[in-house]
Amino acid sequence: MKVTEHFQNADKTQFTFEILPPLKGENLQVLYEHIDPLMEFKPPFIDVTYHREEYVYKHRDNGLLEKISTRKRPGTVGICAAIQNHYKVDTVPHLICGGFNKEETENALIDLHFLGIHNVLVLRGDCVKTESRFVPEPGGHSYATELLQQVVGMNNGCYLDDEQINTNGTDFCIGVAGYPEKHSDAPNLKADLRWLKKKIEMGADYVVTQMFFDNQKYFDFVRLCRSEGINVPIIPGLKPLTTKSQLTILPGIFHIDIPCDLADAVEACADNKAAAQVGVEWAIQQSKELMEFGVPCLHYYSMGKSGSVRKVAEALF
């Protein structure tokens, strides 16, 4: 079932979450141990991220540098298929521009279509850690709008080989990212919203926000979106803080603000266990207020650990 169909059929706010594929060398049981504690809250779908390969350069005896892959996660397509088969729940694979050319993207979409996976989240993706700006793969996409255009094209039966005839279109429900505190590359929020509106006009079906810790920023973001004619579902993305160090790590990575009250409470904690409890309590209050606002679902970024997300879900669902 499509994400938007789940929303249409629901009579209350739903619980969903996002998982990271296991690292190369780990088995599926590692993934299931993370998902199992959250399944009792009946998520209608589970998002599966994609992380680009990471590399180091090592000096060889001949004086040359060799590029070596050091961190690789198994393919999101296979993970989504395994989850759907094991749990009988829909999955939402993330598609990114980085690391893929257009042909590889088309092949991934064909595989997803054949597997009965009818949802995708389209993202540009992050730049490689060794690069100061995003560099597309040769023959790949530079922007999420370009990737979105390819997915929408396939829904309309358009493939890279334009000489094909009698092609069948895919049927993907397409999500895109929204940034209540604006994307880091955008000069301002108004400019960022223009790009988001373009994605909706191109055919995106719903929006998932970057994590935020101040609900007012989400409320303001939704109001601005509606005023711009963006009327698709806007799913709030949430993350319970779990360590004291996240007060500085998360703003640096995701370009978000931590409210003073939350920062003060976490800084006053004696250890990470206490900080995690503060994070859970804050996320519960955030979630309650968002449910009262009438959001279609609450989407939690688990970051590969289900403990805090489960505590939040126990209080709400």
Side-chain angles (χ1 to χ4, degrees):
M1 190 181 294
K2 295 181 178 180
V3 165
T4 50
E5 291 174 337
H6 282 295
F7 297 156
Q8 293 165 3
N9 295 335
D11 57 3
K12 61 181 181 179
T13 299
Q14 297 178 302
F15 164 81
T16 67
F17 61 95
E18 179 179 300
I19 59 102
L20 303 175
L23 288 170
K24 181 172 63 178
E26 296 179 346
N27 59 35
L28 273 177
Q29 191 56 40
V30 173
L31 185 65
Y32 294 156
E33 287 173 358
H34 167 63
I35 296 175
D36 285 346
L38 302 177
M39 291 308 296
E40 70 174 86
F41 307 108
K42 297 180 173 54
F45 56 87
I46 298 171
D47 274 49
V48 182
T49 66
Y50 187 93
H51 281 240
R52 296 179 66 174
E53 284 185 283
E54 295 177 13
Y55 301 93
V56 295
Y57 290 87
K58 292 188 176 181
H59 288 277
R60 292 307 181 197
D61 292 340
N62 59 8
L64 298 177
L65 291 174
E66 181 180 1
K67 184 179 180 181
I68 298 175
S69 174
T70 60
R71 188 181 180 89
K72 172 69 175 175
R73 294 182 184 273
T76 295
V77 173
I79 297 298
C80 285
I83 291 173
Q84 288 203 170
N85 179 65
H86 187 77
Y87 294 104
K88 311 305 179 188
V89 64
D90 287 315
T91 53
V92 182
H94 291 195
L95 295 179
I96 63 173
C97 298
F100 295 92
N101 61 37
K102 295 173 186 177
E103 183 176 2
E104 290 167 334
T105 297
E106 181 175 275
N107 290 337
L109 288 165
I110 290 171
D111 286 344
L112 290 170
H113 179 61
F114 286 162
L115 289 166
I117 295 171
H118 300 300
N119 301 286
V120 292
L121 185 67
V122 170
L123 308 160
R124 187 197 69 178
D126 299 325
C127 61
V128 176
K129 290 182 179 179
T130 56
E131 298 172 344
S132 60
R133 61 182 180 86
F134 180 81
V135 178
E137 192 77 4
H141 297 298
S142 299
Y143 303 101
T145 49
E146 296 174 350
L147 177 55
L148 173 62
Q149 185 176 33
Q150 183 174 7
V151 181
V152 171
M154 288 186 64
N155 277 353
N156 292 323
C158 298
Y159 292 76
L160 294 176
D161 181 1
D162 56 12
E163 294 184 0
Q164 287 182 276
I165 59 174
N166 299 322
T167 54
N168 294 310
T170 52
D171 189 27
F172 291 110
C173 177
I174 308 169
V176 294
Y179 299 85
E181 300 174 65
K182 90 170 184 63
H183 190 279
S184 59
D185 289 349
N188 53 64
L189 184 56
K190 185 175 181 179
D192 201 17
L193 283 174
R194 284 201 300 268
W195 283 107
L196 181 59
K197 183 177 181 180
K198 181 176 181 179
K199 293 176 186 177
I200 304 307
E201 291 172 343
M202 290 174 64
D205 298 293
Y206 69 97
V207 176
V208 183
T209 77
Q210 176 63 276
M211 69 178 71
F212 58 89
F213 293 90
D214 181 352
N215 282 352
Q216 191 58 51
K217 293 186 176 181
Y218 171 81
F219 299 146
D220 291 343
F221 179 70
V222 172
R223 175 179 54 80
L224 288 170
C225 284
R226 301 311 184 215
S227 70
E228 292 291 328
I230 300 171
N231 295 313
V232 299
I234 300 176
I235 302 171
L238 302 173
K239 176 184 164 31
L241 286 175
T242 55
T243 66
K244 298 185 69 173
S245 63
Q246 286 178 346
L247 286 180
T248 54
I249 292 174
L250 295 181
I253 294 175
F254 299 106
H255 307 281
I256 55 174
D257 288 337
I258 306 291
C260 293
D261 290 348
L262 176 57
D264 290 346
V266 172
E267 286 173 349
C269 291
D271 51 32
N272 283 336
K273 182 178 180 180
Q277 183 58 36
V278 169
V280 166
E281 292 169 359
W282 187 274
I284 289 172
Q285 291 306 311
Q286 262 196 286
S287 300
K288 286 181 177 179
E289 189 174 18
L290 290 164
M291 292 173 82
E292 291 174 2
F293 185 72
V295 298
C297 82
L298 294 169
H299 187 68
Y300 295 94
Y301 297 111
S302 66
M303 302 294 194
K305 297 181 180 179
S306 59
S308 290
V309 174
R310 177 177 170 80
K311 290 179 181 178
V312 174
E314 285 176 330
L316 301 167
F317 299 96

